[in-house]
Amino acid sequence: MLEYLRRYASHFMHLNLHRTPRGPLIVYLELTKRCNLMCKFCDIWRWDDHQDELSTEEVFSLIDQVKDTAIVFHIFGGESLLRKDMEEIVKYANQAGLSTGITTNGTLLTPKRSQSLAHAGLKHIRISLDGTQQIHDNLRGKKCHTTIMNNIAHIQQHHPTMQVGINYMLNKKNLQNTQEFLTELNRLEIADIKITPMHTIYPFNYTGQDKSALLFHKDDIPQLQKLFLALYADRRIKTSKYFLEGFLQRLAGQRKEHICRAGDIEIDIDCTGNMYTCYGLQHPVGNIRTTSVKDIWQSRRMNRARKKVSNCTACWDDCHVDPAAVFSAKAVLSEPQKYIHEIRSVLKRS
């Protein structure tokens, strides 16, 4: 824990002195593009080229390259649990001293799989849930809500050391259902809920289909303001007030003063080894199969990408906004309790 505090403090100092840190503090790894659901806001399940995923050994090499600077190693997909080597990777990352977590849709978290993940040392798991049964199943393209809720209950009963968090994709289809959904989660005693309001098309929109019916616009601000006021008082909600207020400002056509730190704090790596400052921009800065993470991190191309994203207005997504705010003295001072919790939650998983 003391080592993680040192790394955080070093990163905080470098960024506030406008210097590039030694390496990434957070590594997001897309382990696969394969997915077993058909979500309305994402077309990744249509991806049909799965022959070139990073091997287990290549992921081990990535972990070895980032373990001296990183704190968080977070795995997502596609559906990350379609990879049969997930337990090997989690165990290796834990042994390397990284705070390791995964994001999953929860459908494959059977009692047997959750037990093997717990034995591998997984301490933090984020599960995607988008509402009560009918709404969630409609958005996700398959009937799976009941299965997921049962899987969460099993983990909480049999593997209490595994922290379960919920990712909630707030959109126009589930807005009216949000409070009912949050009440439903009370019976599971979930204490970590992240809210991501949709305002841009998810990066994996391969078909170019119109998804505007899901996205919020300026005329939704009054309803969102009412909801957000309730969320501020809900201690389970870990999305910051800074983020939610900034989202409303964006919808109103205003721009919150904010410097995106994608590429300074974290890196995104896709399942074929491409490395990005921000996955949403879909412009790789190198590939870890041919170049080391250190060389890409220090490259001119990476520095050009950092400058580009520092003033980027393409999104207001919590994968980059909230991590950047944790390293902004102004943001931390404006909402110290929320960000102290963010830092503690990472350290507790170490």
Side-chain angles (χ1 to χ4, degrees):
M1 184 179 289
L2 288 176
E3 171 60 19
Y4 280 10
L5 274 172
R6 186 196 66 77
R7 293 183 191 184
Y8 169 79
S10 174
H11 230 83
F12 190 97
M13 180 187 70
H14 275 80
L15 294 179
N16 283 279
L17 292 175
H18 308 290
R19 297 174 181 172
T20 302
R22 290 193 310 120
L25 204 67
I26 302 171
V27 178
Y28 293 120
L29 172 64
E30 176 203 63
L31 200 54
T32 183
K33 281 187 167 66
R34 288 175 287 155
C35 192
N36 60 335
L37 297 184
M38 298 180 289
C39 301
K40 283 185 164 50
F41 47 80
C42 174
D43 290 337
I44 198 169
W45 53 274
R46 297 179 187 272
W47 187 270
D48 57 5
D49 182 8
H50 305 300
Q51 304 303 311
D52 200 29
E53 293 179 353
L54 292 171
S55 67
T56 310
E57 290 71 25
E58 287 173 318
V59 177
F60 287 174
S61 174
L62 167 63
I63 292 168
D64 289 338
Q65 292 179 67
V66 301
K67 66 182 181 182
D68 291 333
T69 63
I71 292 177
V72 174
F73 189 76
H74 195 87
I75 301 167
F76 67 101
E79 172 42 48
S80 56
L81 291 180
L82 285 171
R83 282 284 295 246
K84 303 301 183 184
D85 56 355
M86 176 65 83
E87 287 82 353
E88 294 178 71
I89 292 169
V90 167
K91 184 176 180 179
Y92 194 88
N94 281 336
Q95 290 174 341
L98 296 172
S99 177
T100 308
I102 69 171
T103 293
T104 171
N105 60 39
T107 59
L108 303 179
L109 276 172
T110 61
K112 182 178 180 180
R113 195 72 193 272
S114 61
Q115 182 176 18
S116 65
L117 288 167
H119 287 168
L122 185 64
K123 296 179 181 178
H124 190 74
I125 185 165
R126 301 208 65 84
I127 297 175
S128 300
L129 268 173
D130 296 326
T132 51
Q133 184 174 357
Q134 184 176 352
I135 290 177
H136 174 87
D137 290 348
N138 179 264
L139 286 169
R140 294 285 168 170
K142 288 185 180 180
K143 291 183 178 181
C144 56
H145 180 275
T146 301
T147 297
I148 297 167
M149 295 291 280
N150 289 339
N151 288 343
I152 294 173
H154 177 86
I155 290 172
Q156 291 184 316
Q157 181 179 354
H158 297 279
H159 308 292
T161 59
M162 194 184 296
Q163 301 175 43
V164 176
I166 299 297
N167 289 342
Y168 181 64
M169 294 288 288
L170 178 65
N171 58 76
K172 295 189 76 163
K173 297 293 186 182
N174 64 8
L175 175 60
Q176 301 297 331
N177 180 249
T178 299
Q179 290 289 17
E180 182 183 352
F181 171 65
L182 293 176
T183 300
E184 179 182 74
L185 290 181
N186 284 335
R187 67 182 176 90
L188 291 175
E189 298 182 354
I190 298 291
D192 181 349
I193 304 169
K194 285 274 190 178
I195 307 288
T196 302
M198 290 186 64
H199 63 291
T200 57
I201 297 298
Y202 202 64
F204 311 113
N205 189 29
Y206 302 117
T207 62
Q209 292 179 341
D210 182 16
K211 302 180 188 296
S212 58
L214 296 170
L215 307 183
F216 292 117
H217 301 286
K218 190 173 183 178
D219 57 353
D220 298 307
I221 290 177
Q223 283 184 286
L224 287 169
Q225 283 178 322
K226 183 178 179 180
L227 172 64
F228 289 176
L229 282 173
L231 296 182
Y232 298 152
D234 190 332
R235 297 176 66 88
R236 299 172 301 168
I237 306 301
K238 304 310 178 188
T239 308
S240 68
K241 186 176 181 180
Y242 175 90
F243 173 80
L244 295 174
E245 287 182 342
F247 179 77
L248 292 176
Q249 288 182 17
R250 180 187 173 92
L251 286 186
Q254 304 165 1
R255 186 182 177 191
K256 191 177 183 72
E257 184 180 341
H258 176 80
I259 299 175
C260 184
R261 293 296 191 181
D264 282 322
I265 298 170
E266 72 269 33
I267 54 173
D268 294 341
I269 296 173
D270 73 16
C271 63
T272 63
N274 287 320
M275 178 167 147
Y276 306 81
T277 54
C278 171
Y279 202 4
L281 296 178
Q282 291 290 287
H283 298 302
V285 291
N287 191 289
I288 64 170
R289 281 175 159 161
T290 57
T291 312
S292 70
V293 172
K294 181 179 179 180
D295 286 346
I296 299 174
W297 181 264
Q298 297 176 343
S299 68
R300 292 181 180 178
R301 189 174 183 181
M302 184 73 169
N303 285 330
R304 289 196 298 268
R306 289 189 183 104
K307 289 179 181 178
K308 181 178 179 180
V309 301
S310 65
N311 293 306
C312 179
T313 59
C315 81
W316 188 261
D317 290 332
D318 65 348
C319 55
H320 294 302
V321 173
D322 261 351
V326 171
F327 291 89
S328 163
K330 182 177 180 180
V332 172
L333 290 173
S334 70
E335 203 175 354
Q337 279 189 315
K338 185 74 72 172
Y339 289 110
I340 288 171
H341 172 84
E342 284 285 322
I343 296 165
R344 281 178 174 172
S345 67
V346 170
L347 296 177
K348 281 172 67 178
R349 302 202 302 265
S350 61

